[in-house]
Amino acid sequence: MSWDALFSLQGHSPYILGAYGVTLALMGAEALVLWRRARARRQAARRQAGEGRP
């Protein structure tokens, strides 16, 4: 598939690009959630060990 065919507004191209966009958005959201969860666990472990900030 050529770039012209992929980015044309005819046929299935908008659906293909939309599917890629949604997939990338979901991957980004999952990475953000996992990063925040890991960060919260590290902070909780520090607080439990008595090293946390007040």
Side-chain angles (χ1 to χ4, degrees):
M1 180 179 285
S2 70
W3 289 108
D4 291 334
L6 183 62
F7 290 107
S8 74
L9 295 177
Q10 299 172 351
H12 299 291
S13 296
Y15 301 106
I16 293 170
L17 291 176
Y20 280 124
V22 169
T23 301
L24 287 174
L26 288 173
M27 288 172 62
E30 184 176 2
L32 178 66
V33 167
L34 290 173
W35 174 75
R36 289 184 63 177
R37 188 180 298 168
R39 187 173 160 219
R41 283 186 182 173
R42 281 193 307 264
Q43 287 179 352
R46 280 189 205 144
R47 282 191 206 119
Q48 191 173 18
E51 299 173 6
R53 293 183 216 173

